[in-house]
Amino acid sequence: MKVGILSDSHDHRGAAEGALLLFRAEGVGMVFHLGDVYSPAVLAGYGDPAIPLRGVFGNNDSDRDGLQEATGGAFRQGPRIETVDGRRILLAHSYDQLRGELNGRGRFDLVLFGHTHRPLTMHVGKALVLNPGESCGLLRGKNTCAIVDLVTMEPWIMEIPLPGAE
């Protein structure tokens, strides 16, 4: 299975919609959002039960109740542990939330965080550590997301095609 990863949407609904179109085209089976959505309306298209959404709250998610209502309770306080297709996945908004969990002992296959707005892939022990960058494009000028193939553990950080952009 492939998983799609978003972070730091910051009210950029067009980027969230573009990422969802990209995830569908790439055959993604689950989406992880790493926080800082801002407005629940940003994730309006993410209700497809064929592509479940799981997320963690960021430091700028002020309407947490609205976000939970809009996503069917998909968000939790991080760090959050998920198991998907036999892979143990750790999600957090910021790397600081992960320090106690990343010890190189091989507890996780995939470790995801956002907050810095900087795309990153690296390995810590056996874990693939990934930050998809910012889907909003506000600080770095690029709207990015990521896809990870859970079979091969191959990551791709991709620029999000914006609807209506040429």
Side-chain angles (χ1 to χ4, degrees), residues 100-138:
E101 300 290 343
L102 280 179
N103 55 26
R105 293 188 197 145
R107 285 185 60 199
F108 302 102
D109 299 293
L110 179 59
V111 176
L112 305 172
F113 72 98
H115 187 62
T116 66
H117 294 237
R118 294 182 185 127
L120 169 82
T121 58
M122 66 181 186
H123 283 87
V124 174
K126 77 166 192 165
L128 170 62
V129 179
L130 184 141
N131 183 329
E134 58 179 359
S135 61
C136 66
L138 293 175

Side-chain angles (χ1 to χ4, degrees), residues 29-58:
M30 179 174 277
V31 173
F32 294 118
H33 198 296
L34 305 174
D36 282 2
V37 178
Y38 273 22
S39 169
V42 170
L43 298 179
Y46 284 78
D48 184 350
I51 308 174
L53 173 68
R54 300 288 181 271
V56 290
F57 293 115

